[in-house]
Amino acid sequence: MTQTHFGYETVDENDKARRVRGVFDSVAKKYDVMNDLMSAGLHRAWKAYTVAVANLKAGDRALDIAGGTGDLARAFAKKVGPTGVVVHTDINEAMLRVGRDRLLDEGLVLPTTICDAEKLPFPTGRFDLVSVAFGLRNMTHKEAALAEMNRVLRPGGRLLVLEFSKVAEPLRKAYDWYSFSVLPRVGRFVTGDADSYRYLAESIRMHPDQETLKGMMKGAGFGHVDVHNMSGGVVALHVGIKC
Ligand SMILES: C[S@@+](CC[C@H](N)C(=O)[O-])C[C@H]1O[C@@H](n2cnc3c(N)ncnc32)[C@H](O)[C@@H]1O
């Protein structure tokens, strides 16, 4: 059996997907409130920037992978309008249900599909834009997922990967203290689950840094990749163009 990382632990590949599912099953209902608390609302600015860079037009076709509770899908749907389409997907049913209910409450009925980013059930060249926000980190075979994202884009289409990344050196000490001392405590207080937030902090450290991810995207077939650092590298938006 091939081994991989689950945070700082080394686990069997099959076990990783099961444990990631456990994390998101556990946090789904409190996911949105925790996002606001953990980031002091900053995740809204990171996503708003992503939506601005996406620059979707009426009639465009977009796919949001690991879409969870639907922040990007909702913003994209407003941009593409009734002539476009935004497909809201995630591997986790609990997260997708929370997202779908939120979208319905806001009068948005989007195609919503459970799917694994590593095996996308869409035809080649289907989408103008594919996005994945804070999802790639949790995937077992990141190269396979990136290759699938490339496949479903039309030539000239763009992939937006919004993800935690390598923080600038002067921020590192404070960021580590916050991640390992504060975050699990807030997680325990709000969701009753400190371990999922310890996994969050560890999985961020194990995730490829800006340059490595850029190289992985090029390896997956993106001819041009731009990196936009935000909040001192706490988060980076990678934009890949399928050439
Ligand atoms: C931190 S949440 C991000 C949710 C949302 N995109 C956001 O930015 O708020 C990560 C999501 O990735 C999903 N995920 C993990 N592995 C996945 C995979 N292989 N394919 C699709 N989604 C996956 C999880 O189920 C979870 O909903």
Side-chain angles (χ1 to χ4, degrees), residues 17 20-21 24-25 27 31-32 35 43 47 64-72 89-96 102 114-120 131-141 145 149 162-164 199-200:
V20 168
R21 186 166 66 243
F24 291 103
D25 281 347
V27 304
Y31 179 82
D32 289 322
N35 259 359
H43 77 103
K47 287 171 180 161
D64 189 28
I65 293 176
T69 58
D71 283 347
L72 285 187
T89 71
D90 199 287
I91 202 170
N92 185 291
E93 186 177 343
M95 291 289 284
L96 212 49
R102 268 182 72 199
I114 294 181
C115 69
D116 184 346
E118 297 176 20
K119 294 177 219 95
L120 292 173
S131 59
V132 55
F134 304 110
L136 188 64
R137 188 172 31 90
N138 301 293
M139 294 171 193
T140 309
H141 305 102
M149 295 174 202
L162 179 65
E163 189 52 271
F164 294 105
Y199 162 73
L200 168 65

Side-chain angles (χ1 to χ4, degrees), residues 82-105:
T83 56
V85 65
V86 177
V87 186
H88 172 220
T89 71
D90 199 287
I91 202 170
N92 185 291
E93 186 177 343
M95 291 289 284
L96 212 49
R97 275 184 191 283
V98 174
R100 188 196 52 185
D101 289 352
R102 268 182 72 199
L103 294 169
L104 286 175
D105 287 348

Side-chain angles (χ1 to χ4, degrees), residues 223-238:
H224 181 85
V225 180
D226 278 329
V227 184
H228 307 229
N229 275 309
M230 289 182 257
S231 305
V234 169
V235 160
L237 175 65
H238 285 66

